[in-house]
Amino acid sequence: MSTSLSTHPFDAALALNTTGPDRYQGQTHPAYANMVGPYGGMTAAQMLQSALQHPARLGDPVSLTVNYAAPVADGAFELEARPLRTNRSTQHWLLLMSQVGEVVASGTALLAVRRPTWSAPEAVMPDGMPAFDSLEKRPTQGFPAWISRYDMRFVCGGMGADFDGVEQPDSLTRLWLRDEPPRPLDFTSLTAACDCFAPRLWVRRHQRSPAGTVTMTVYFHADAALLAAQGERPLFGQAHAQVLHDGYCDQMGMLWSADGQLLASTQQVQYYKT
Amino acid sequence: MSTSLSTHPFDAALALNTTGPDRYQGQTHPAYANMVGPYGGMTAAQMLQSALQHPARLGDPVSLTVNYAAPVADGAFELEARPLRTNRSTQHWLLLMSQVGEVVASGTALLAVRRPTWSAPEAVMPDGMPAFDSLEKRPTQGFPAWISRYDMRFVCGGMGADFDGVEQPDSLTRLWLRDEPPRPLDFTSLTAACDCFAPRLWVRRHQRSPAGTVTMTVYFHADAALLAAQGERPLFGQAHAQVLHDGYCDQMGMLWSADGQLLASTQQVQYYKT
């Protein structure tokens, strides 16, 4: 893959053409291909982008929910981004991705104009984590293309090298990650990064089996300036399941800035088969 | 308030009339009134109900997201419940609540047919919690009507009696709760209960100020049989914030059965002013 300063593959994948009021067209990008179809984090980023580049946009993202309704086929897709309600400082969006006239992903987003006020962290980044530079980069060879779009360095709960089929006491993952090649953080790339965690079932059981995200929610805890301050530095991520029950499990995740500020909390449901 | 065996106020509030394909009409119910408009948990339950009573329904709820786009006025509302995509064992819904032609709440839901498979709890109910019967019932006099629709018994992080304006180290709430009068648990009442936690800001700062839910997500970890087994027994709930940042905070919550099984995990974003 070639890249220049002006055309990072993330931005190429994010490009949407306006085709009408509230309507956009985009393309899946081979650099973010998963085993079948595109990486779900990129699909979520594209859906958010359709609201962010809409002429009626008010404010910055506070929350985003994306439901993966059907496999996204490689190729073109249509996006509908409809502002359902615009208030004085908040705006609610309906987001629909379709292919050949059928919905493949649905979502909603809340944008808001934030104003500085009393703030307080509560979930602090874990103490004593090894530094990004002290850890090995996750191998990418032989994996789907999107894995190569991140420099992931696992502290625990990695994605396969040690999978021995021995059930673990929990599904905790901790890692550093940044875009590969590096790219300054923004709302869309933060969204995509929220889907970087492997299925919790794999981590818990130390073996692969069919699993995937069916719905993902992202809560944003930063404004554009705070994201810009992060620049290209790695994010620290953590995820775990609270329960795996009859084919579906939840996943609670957090992404901190290099300075230890919580930038996003994210939840998802994953289906699984054993 | 009078109630009979057949007309619990929750069921009265949940009643929706079909007005056309994918269309329903309902009414806010005074028994679930909040300070202004209805209790948000009831709004979420009504939105879920519109999909559950839809003739095209497939399966039981796996996830629900409701965005509170504008204050719901006391009185009638319209609901649109549109099945966006039906697969072999999953179904994705768009849910819109409107008043006078304007969207007041938007949402999406995922329903699925679950099949028994390998399951594992991960987040266990906290040890050593006092029993429901050993705790005082939360006073309801002088509070909005919906508070009287729950028997809440706080272990920590209560809703006001001890508010002294002294900032706390965290916003953790733990409580037992059940419907008042008692009612057998189902997907709609579990949904409503997910919104029972007070704004995290109040618990963290030990004082009230303007705050409210702007979006809530519920992940269901039970089938109808497991909910039926819970019956009218109290649920154990826990909630905390991960960060309060510039007017918005997240809230992570869990509701366990009386037997200690995680029935729902729930997240929300609350706006706040200080």
Side-chain angles (χ1 to χ4, degrees):
Chain A
M1 160 162 302
S2 72
T3 180
S4 76
L5 286 175
S6 60
T7 54
H8 192 284
F10 190 87
D11 295 291
L14 210 60
L16 302 177
N17 298 316
T18 304
T19 56
D22 303 343
R23 302 277 173 169
Y24 301 90
Q25 189 185 55
Q27 296 271 343
T28 63
H29 194 292
Y32 286 89
N34 204 344
M35 305 230 274
V36 177
Y39 169 51
M42 175 52 71
T43 299
Q46 289 159 336
M47 292 179 74
L48 179 62
Q49 175 64 14
S50 68
L52 296 183
Q53 75 176 62
H54 193 288
R57 168 186 174 177
L58 175 75
D60 284 335
V62 167
S63 74
L64 170 73
T65 293
V66 172
N67 308 288
Y68 300 90
V72 178
D74 292 327
F77 55 79
E78 315 292 324
L79 273 170
E80 176 181 356
R82 179 153 41 114
L84 291 172
R85 180 98 189 197
T86 300
N87 301 309
R88 198 161 48 90
S89 66
T90 61
Q91 191 173 54
H92 288 264
W93 291 82
L94 170 64
L95 308 171
L96 295 175
M97 180 181 282
S98 301
Q99 289 186 314
V100 202
E102 296 284 334
V103 171
V104 294
S106 65
T108 56
L110 167 61
L111 273 57
V113 178
R114 284 182 190 265
R115 296 186 177 85
T117 185
W118 181 89
S119 299
E122 198 148 315
V124 297
M125 193 172 129
D127 268 342
M129 291 296 104
F132 177 82
D133 289 334
S134 73
L135 294 165
E136 292 281 325
K137 182 179 173 183
R138 179 200 194 289
T140 59
Q141 204 171 9
F143 288 92
W146 78 268
I147 297 282
S148 297
R149 299 282 66 75
Y150 291 99
D151 183 339
M152 299 191 201
R153 306 192 179 198
F154 286 94
V155 176
C156 66
M159 231 190 264
D162 58 347
F163 280 6
D164 53 12
V166 176
E167 188 179 328
Q168 303 298 302
D170 62 49
S171 65
L172 181 67
T173 287
R174 287 172 168 165
L175 84 168
W176 290 100
L177 84 160
R178 62 162 178 73
D179 287 309
E180 181 64 44
R183 177 182 177 278
L185 189 68
D186 61 20
F187 290 109
T188 53
S189 64
L190 182 59
T191 297
C194 283
D195 195 34
C196 76
F197 305 102
R200 292 303 90 194
L201 183 81
W202 298 4
V203 176
R204 179 71 186 259
R205 288 170 50 109
H206 262 201
Q207 64 182 37
R208 290 168 206 272
S209 56
T213 304
V214 291
T215 182
M216 176 170 78
T217 287
V218 179
Y219 295 157
F220 301 89
H221 308 297
D223 58 17
L226 184 55
L227 296 189
Q230 164 76 9
E232 299 179 350
R233 290 179 295 165
L235 299 166
F236 187 82
Q238 175 175 301
H240 71 284
Q242 299 183 140
V243 66
L244 304 97
H245 181 73
D246 281 354
Y248 293 92
C249 76
D250 63 4
Q251 176 185 285
M252 304 290 123
M254 291 185 267
L255 288 175
W256 285 272
S257 74
D259 301 323
Q261 189 154 354
L262 186 61
L263 300 179
S265 45
T266 181
Q267 305 82 43
Q268 57 175 257
V269 174
Q270 300 159 356
Y271 84 89
Y272 65 86
K273 289 181 183 170
T274 54
Chain B
M1 158 161 304
S2 70
T3 180
S4 74
L5 286 174
S6 60
T7 55
H8 192 284
F10 190 87
D11 296 290
L14 209 61
L16 302 177
N17 297 317
T18 304
T19 56
D22 303 343
R23 303 278 174 168
Y24 301 90
Q25 189 184 54
Q27 296 271 341
T28 64
H29 194 291
Y32 286 89
N34 204 346
M35 306 230 274
V36 177
Y39 169 51
M42 177 49 72
T43 299
Q46 289 159 335
M47 292 179 73
L48 180 62
Q49 176 63 14
S50 70
L52 296 185
Q53 75 176 61
H54 193 289
R57 168 186 175 178
L58 175 74
D60 284 334
V62 167
S63 73
L64 170 73
T65 292
V66 172
N67 308 288
Y68 300 90
V72 178
D74 292 326
F77 56 79
E78 314 292 325
L79 273 170
E80 177 182 354
R82 181 156 36 116
L84 292 171
R85 180 97 189 196
T86 299
N87 300 309
R88 199 162 46 94
S89 67
T90 62
Q91 190 173 53
H92 287 264
W93 290 83
L94 170 65
L95 307 171
L96 295 174
M97 180 182 281
S98 303
Q99 289 185 315
V100 203
E102 296 283 334
V103 171
V104 294
S106 64
T108 55
L110 167 62
L111 273 57
V113 178
R114 284 182 190 266
R115 296 186 177 85
T117 184
W118 181 90
S119 299
E122 198 148 315
V124 296
M125 194 173 130
D127 267 341
M129 291 296 103
F132 177 82
D133 288 335
S134 73
L135 295 165
E136 292 282 323
K137 182 179 173 182
R138 180 200 193 286
T140 59
Q141 203 170 11
F143 289 91
W146 78 268
I147 298 282
S148 298
R149 296 283 68 73
Y150 291 99
D151 183 340
M152 300 191 201
R153 305 192 180 197
F154 286 93
V155 176
C156 66
M159 232 190 265
D162 57 347
F163 281 5
D164 52 12
V166 176
E167 188 179 327
Q168 303 298 302
D170 63 50
S171 65
L172 181 66
T173 287
R174 287 173 169 165
L175 84 167
W176 290 99
L177 84 159
R178 63 162 177 73
D179 286 310
E180 181 63 45
R183 178 182 177 277
L185 189 69
D186 61 20
F187 290 110
T188 54
S189 63
L190 181 59
T191 296
C194 283
D195 195 34
C196 75
F197 305 101
R200 293 302 90 195
L201 183 81
W202 297 6
V203 177
R204 179 71 186 258
R205 288 169 52 108
H206 262 201
Q207 65 183 35
R208 289 168 208 273
S209 57
T213 305
V214 292
T215 182
M216 175 169 79
T217 288
V218 179
Y219 295 158
F220 301 89
H221 306 297
D223 58 16
L226 184 54
L227 297 189
Q230 163 76 7
E232 300 179 350
R233 291 179 293 167
L235 299 166
F236 187 82
Q238 174 174 302
H240 72 283
Q242 298 183 141
V243 66
L244 304 97
H245 180 72
D246 282 355
Y248 292 92
C249 77
D250 63 4
Q251 175 185 284
M252 304 290 124
M254 290 184 268
L255 289 175
W256 284 272
S257 74
D259 301 323
Q261 187 154 357
L262 186 60
L263 300 179
S265 46
T266 179
Q267 305 83 41
Q268 56 176 260
V269 174
Q270 299 159 356
Y271 85 90
Y272 64 86
K273 290 181 184 171
T274 55

